[in-house]
Amino acid sequence: MANTLYDELFGKHAGRDTPFLILQDDTCITHAAFLAKAAQFAHEITAQGLVAGDRLAVQIGKSPNALAVYAACVQSGVIFLPLNTAYTGPEVEYFIENSGAKLVLCDPAKLSDIAPICARLSARVETMAADGSGTFADKAAAYPAEFATVDRGPDDLAAFLYTSGTTGRSKGAMLSHENLLSNSQTLAEYWRFTDRDILLHALPIFHTHGLFVATNVCLLGGSVIRFYAGFDCDALIRDIPKATALMGVPTFYTRLLDDPRFDAELTKSMRLFVSGSAPLLAETHIQFEERTGHRILERYGMTETNMNTSNPYDGDRRAGTVGYPLPGVELKVCDPETGAEIPTGDVGVIEVRGPNVFKGYWQMPEKTREELRENGFFITGDLGFVDDRGYVTIVGRAKDLIISGGYNIYPKEIEMILDDQEGVLESAVVGVPHPDFGETVVAVLVPAKSQTPDIAAIQSNVEAQLARFKQPRSYHVMDILPRNTMGKVQKNILRDQFKDLFAKPL
Ligand code: MLC
Ligand code: AMP
């Protein structure tokens, strides 16, 4: 046997003194040094009592050591469960409980919040700070720099990534070794990643885009990663001339375009700019080409499916479209009511099937059945059409979802908290255009009879429970919510009413 993902991504670099990560201060970490660290971490994970199939939850800052925890999980067969560093204690508690994680790695600054949760849920807890230091790395340092890789096959699970849902409860998407490997192989080839590439990596490593797309593609191609703790415009502008590729959410590109230093001369070493996770405005695509001479390559993916479509590398990268289905991915557009496939050019719900599609939601068979058909097609909840040239365009979402700066926010999760607040009868949360984040969150509150909601108190309760990116940026009080004859809240009316709230001044 072998280990499907480890062997292809990591194992093949064993013993190579070639650069893998270059940090912001130009420190270089070789493949060999990275794998030695990962092996020590795999020993420590095993020493903590975890065996193949157990879950390790991490809520830690982005660092080479954090990435080595991912490699260590793959090598030891343990399921990697990364969590957004912005999540609050109550949010993290749900993920630990739902996943049954045996071990949790958290930032030392959060230990006082997380340790009692772990104690209640009988999970072990260790720390790792944003610089990679902490109890976990300290304990691991005692172990050898080699670890006997645990056998794992294509259908074994490699990672859980939690994704919220329209009911407000997050679901753990189970991703197999094959899901991750097959998609990364397709992308590495499609986008031509080789050992001559240097990728600017400024995305977080707790989501598909930064963890699986950016990292795995570079590992497969033997490409070097310039590794940033987060998006930092100055650092990117400094390093762009040393790089060949960037992957980002649309906010990266609008922020770069806001900087006059970002131009054709600066980007002349670059061969590829990839955008995804949220819609890239056609005007950003056009402005980008005018400024730099490069056409952004937009692609479309999801936590449950990895990447589904991509604009072509060589052919026409069409603004406003997400390109063609990737090799091996079947894509059809279906009637939202009947599920029947509809004619080319008509708008419907996008469904996808292929080796990229996940194995279901952890311990949620009903949710899995609702979204993953028996024939293997996954119902994405995105509305779109395929044109006569085969390009896919996404026009909206059948699901009630806001995407802010590439982070998904499900209004239901926020409404459930707002509905519980004193003085509030009911609430509605909508996404409105935002110049930096693409969309942002607006809350509408209906007061309970003869009461006036205390917005400041509500805001502070929301802050204690929800990550910053989910918190409404604006609150409004209304006597009643607009509803249709079926009693459903007409969110389109609210979106329209508040659409100019964050508009850029002319
Ligand atoms: C941070 N903040 C956000 C935010 N990110 N608010 C709304 N939306 C966001 N996306 C808040 C912070 O809490 C803080 O609030 C302030 O903004 C500044 O925080 P920061 O830490 O300085 O972050 P910033 O640089 O502003 O981050 C913006 C960003 C980041 C766009 C660089 O959000 C980011 O890296 N997004 C990428 C998300 C991603 O990887 N998505 C892929 C999902 S996978 P305050 O009040 O202090 O100002 C997927 C599948 C696929 O979708 O197809 O890829
Ligand atoms: P997530 O659940 O975080 O993986 O987000 C997946 C969702 O992001 C998809 O269902 C789409 O709605 C959206 N998305 C990803 N890429 C694109 C894109 N290029 N254009 C429009 N929406 C996108």
Side-chain angles (χ1 to χ4, degrees):
M1 256 278 259
N3 183 310
T4 304
L5 193 58
Y6 185 85
D7 295 349
E8 290 298 321
L9 292 187
F10 302 105
K12 69 173 187 191
H13 298 295
R16 288 191 188 160
D17 275 322
T18 42
F20 171 40
L21 302 175
I22 300 179
L23 310 187
Q24 217 162 321
D25 64 1
D26 285 337
T27 306
C28 174
I29 297 175
T30 63
H31 285 104
F34 177 81
L35 293 179
K37 187 67 79 180
Q40 289 183 316
F41 288 176
H43 280 291
E44 176 56 24
I45 290 169
T46 309
Q48 294 269 354
L50 279 77
V51 295
D54 285 340
R55 275 77 59 203
L56 192 166
V58 305
Q59 193 197 26
I60 50 182
K62 184 177 171 186
S63 69
N65 274 1
L67 199 61
V69 177
Y70 162 51
C73 283
V74 179
Q75 190 172 21
S76 60
V78 165
I79 296 171
F80 184 59
L81 194 176
L83 295 169
N84 193 323
T85 46
Y87 289 148
T88 61
E91 289 171 306
V92 172
E93 180 163 17
Y94 171 81
F95 299 119
I96 300 174
E97 180 153 27
N98 184 269
S99 67
K102 268 200 177 163
L103 174 63
V104 178
L105 295 190
C106 73
D107 193 279
K110 290 202 173 156
L111 187 62
S112 56
D113 284 345
I114 303 293
I117 296 171
C118 290
R120 187 178 75 74
L121 298 172
S122 306
R124 288 165 169 268
V125 61
E126 298 291 341
T127 61
M128 184 176 278
D131 64 1
S133 65
T135 59
F136 184 74
D138 287 350
K139 290 181 182 171
Y143 291 104
E146 271 164 15
F147 179 85
T149 303
V150 172
D151 286 347
R152 293 273 89 184
D155 284 335
D156 286 319
L157 298 178
F160 283 5
L161 256 57
Y162 274 79
T163 153
S164 291
T166 41
T167 57
R169 278 188 73 203
S170 279
K171 302 163 287 182
M174 299 187 285
L175 294 152
S176 71
H177 282 239
E178 192 201 10
N179 291 152
L180 302 181
L181 180 62
S182 64
N183 203 242
S184 318
Q185 283 171 330
T186 302
L187 295 174
E189 202 175 314
Y190 208 75
W191 296 340
R192 317 257 172 98
F193 272 81
T194 71
D195 58 7
R196 291 184 301 282
D197 277 305
I198 300 177
L199 176 87
L200 300 166
H201 192 307
L203 287 160
I205 52 169
F206 44 71
H207 277 313
T208 301
H209 198 164
L211 183 63
F212 300 138
V213 182
T215 308
N216 290 358
V217 161
C218 286
L219 280 160
L220 281 173
S223 317
V224 174
I225 294 178
R226 287 196 83 98
F227 201 66
Y228 305 87
F231 180 86
D232 174 340
C233 203
D234 287 335
L236 287 187
I237 296 236
R238 187 196 64 202
D239 292 343
I240 281 172
K242 303 175 203 158
T244 64
L246 171 68
M247 293 185 195
V249 294
T251 302
F252 282 23
Y253 295 110
T254 50
R255 287 188 184 179
L256 285 167
L257 284 169
D258 277 343
D259 194 306
R261 294 172 294 174
F262 187 71
D263 61 12
E265 178 59 26
L266 188 85
T267 57
K268 65 179 189 223
S269 67
M270 296 289 285
R271 68 167 185 91
L272 184 61
F273 291 92
V274 176
S275 177
S277 311
L280 181 78
L281 293 178
E283 71 187 54
T284 309
H285 192 282
I286 292 161
Q287 199 192 345
F288 198 91
E289 186 178 13
E290 281 169 3
R291 180 88 72 82
T292 65
H294 295 280
R295 287 176 80 82
I296 296 177
L297 184 153
E298 184 171 7
R299 87 325 175 257
Y300 155 61
M302 293 186 75
T303 299
E304 289 92 334
T305 64
N306 297 281
M307 299 304 103
N308 296 313
T309 73
S310 170
N311 269 279
Y313 187 82
D314 283 327
D316 186 12
R317 299 178 192 167
R318 299 182 68 193
T321 82
V322 292
Y324 302 117
L326 284 163
V329 177
E330 292 172 79
L331 181 147
K332 59 183 184 173
V333 178
C334 297
D335 183 305
E337 304 302 327
T338 65
E341 195 166 351
I342 58 176
T344 304
D346 287 0
V347 172
V349 176
I350 295 172
E351 297 192 13
V352 292
R353 177 165 72 180
N356 53 315
V357 174
F358 76 139
K359 299 290 171 197
Y361 297 115
W362 169 247
Q363 292 185 335
M364 291 187 186
E366 277 179 27
K367 284 273 153 220
T368 304
R369 268 194 300 277
E370 276 170 28
E371 296 180 38
L372 188 57
R373 294 188 191 281
E374 261 175 30
N375 64 9
F377 272 97
F378 178 69
I379 307 166
T380 64
D382 290 310
L383 295 172
F385 67 91
V386 183
D387 66 22
D388 50 10
R389 290 172 61 189
Y391 283 79
V392 178
T393 298
I394 296 172
V395 296
R397 299 169 203 137
K399 50 196 173 188
D400 191 12
L401 163 71
I402 300 167
I403 304 184
S404 169
Y407 288 145
N408 284 9
I409 300 164
Y410 280 85
K412 185 76 189 165
E413 186 184 359
I414 306 167
E415 287 161 359
M416 285 187 330
I417 292 174
L418 295 176
D419 290 350
D420 275 351
Q421 301 298 310
E422 213 180 307
V424 174
L425 176 68
E426 60 174 349
S427 65
V429 165
V430 292
V432 300
H434 189 275
D436 187 29
F437 293 128
E439 277 185 293
T440 198
V441 183
V442 169
V444 177
L445 306 175
V446 174
K449 202 160 182 243
S450 329
Q451 293 196 47
T452 310
D454 177 346
I455 305 284
I458 292 174
Q459 247 172 315
S460 120
N461 290 341
V462 167
E463 271 164 33
Q465 293 181 64
L466 289 178
R468 175 71 186 118
F469 70 89
K470 297 182 196 168
Q471 296 166 17
R473 297 291 166 124
S474 170
Y475 287 83
H476 303 266
V477 175
M478 276 186 176
D479 292 340
I480 49 165
L481 296 174
R483 290 183 191 274
N484 64 16
T485 48
M486 310 291 288
K488 197 169 179 285
V489 177
Q490 290 171 301
K491 291 201 168 177
N492 53 327
I493 295 182
L494 297 176
R495 274 185 219 110
D496 197 52
Q497 180 169 350
F498 297 111
K499 69 179 188 308
D500 295 326
L501 215 51
F502 298 92
K504 251 186 186 168
L506 288 173

